[in-house]
């Protein structure tokens, strides 16, 4: 399967969100990555339901929502109502992860589990049959524009093996510090979805950068 691109709008120009979404609609982006931060799970606050609803209003692409919040169970149906298609919850934020991902699926969204850089992929062994994607954080979550953590390559390779051995239908997404230099190695290591914030939105021509990321082999 060709890899997918999910541009993170965290570093986009919020003074004209409609223009950003129209650009993404026309681009080769597959999804739109939306980072929700609560100031508790991560040391930053981003945006909430109203902003996601506005994005949904204009978007022709699926919304890949990444929850960096504590107690995500309280808000699953609210995120469904904003128009989330894929809902990523952090392993570190969920005490009853199986219940959480089952509820996400029951609500009609695709469940995905995210792990922080310090969390080993081995903890995912018994949840893989129930989810559609694992999001491996390749920076500590909270901010755009950080440097990719090199140890992530080993984690991706290990997860890829686990998925193949179990013949699970689970995609691997990476998020943080993805650029035009490391994208090829990431894809070769087994990544299915690249999230890119700074690389896309700090470039002169975001649509062209998305295209370049999409055509990397
Ligand atoms: C970080 C967020 C990322 C962020 C990525 O906590 O989860 O999605 O926007 O930004 P870059 O691509 O700039 O590292
Ligand atoms: Zn993210």
């Amino acid at each position: 399967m060709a890899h997918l691109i999910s541009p993170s709008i965290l570093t986009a120009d919020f003074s004209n969100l409609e223009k950003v979404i129209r650009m993404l609609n026309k681009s080769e982006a597959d999804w739109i990555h939306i980072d929700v931060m609560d100031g508790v799970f991560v040391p930053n606050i981003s945006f909430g339901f109203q902003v996601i609803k506005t994005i949904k209003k204009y978007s022709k692409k699926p919304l890949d929502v990444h929850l960096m919040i504590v107690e995500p169970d309280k808000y699953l149906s609210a995120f469904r109502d904003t128009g989330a298609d894929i809902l990523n919850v952090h392993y570190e934020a969920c005490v009853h992860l199986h219940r959480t991902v089952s509820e996400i699926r029951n609500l009609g969204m695709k469940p995905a589990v995210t792990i922080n850089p310090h969390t080993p992929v081995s903890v995912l062994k018994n949840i893989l049959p129930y989810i559609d994607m694992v999001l491996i954080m390749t920076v500590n979550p909270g901010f755009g524009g950080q440097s990719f953590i090199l140890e992530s390559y080993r984690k991706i390779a290990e997860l890829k093996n686990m998925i193949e051995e179990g013949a699970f239908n689970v995609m691997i997404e990476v998020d943080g510090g993805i650029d035009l230099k490391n994208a090829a190695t990431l894809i070769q290591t087994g990544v299915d979805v690249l999230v890119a914030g700074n690389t896309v939105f700090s470039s002169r021509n975001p649509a062209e950068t998305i295209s370049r990321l999409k055509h990397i082999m």
Side-chain angles (χ1 to χ4, degrees), residues 67-137:
L67 300 185
M68 285 161 272
I69 64 174
V70 296
E71 302 190 70
D73 300 86
K74 285 186 182 169
Y75 306 102
L76 300 178
S77 63
F79 280 105
R80 193 269 316 272
D81 295 344
T82 65
D85 296 280
I86 301 129
L87 199 61
N88 297 274
V89 291
H90 267 262
Y91 167 84
E92 300 84 4
C94 297
V95 178
H96 301 286
L97 186 59
H98 179 272
R99 178 183 290 152
T100 305
V101 299
S102 303
E103 179 64 12
I104 292 172
R105 199 177 294 286
N106 288 340
L107 287 164
M109 298 174 285
K110 293 185 190 310
V113 173
T114 310
I115 54 170
N116 276 334
H118 73 277
T119 303
V121 295
S122 55
V123 300
L124 300 170
K125 186 173 170 236
N126 298 90
I127 204 71
L128 288 177
Y130 303 99
I131 59 178
D132 289 4
M133 187 167 76
V134 171
L135 169 51
I136 295 185
M137 287 310 299

Side-chain angles (χ1 to χ4, degrees), residues 168-214:
F168 299 118
N169 198 8
V170 173
M171 292 195 288
I172 302 176
E173 182 176 46
V174 286
D175 183 8
I178 310 305
D179 58 29
L180 289 158
K181 289 194 214 89
N182 57 25
T185 313
L186 288 164
I187 293 157
Q188 286 151 18
T189 313
V191 168
D192 303 291
V193 189
L194 297 172
V195 174
N198 199 52
T199 294
V200 168
F201 289 103
S202 300
S203 70
R204 222 170 22 88
N205 185 338
E208 187 191 297
T209 305
I210 291 167
S211 175
R212 288 176 67 190
L213 285 167
K214 182 71 185 172

Side-chain angles (χ1 to χ4, degrees), residues 8 10 33 35 37 66 68 137 141-145 175-177 195-198:
S8 162
L10 191 63
H33 187 83
D35 291 302
M37 305 178 184
H66 175 193
M68 285 161 272
M137 287 310 299
F143 304 92
D175 183 8
V195 174
N198 199 52

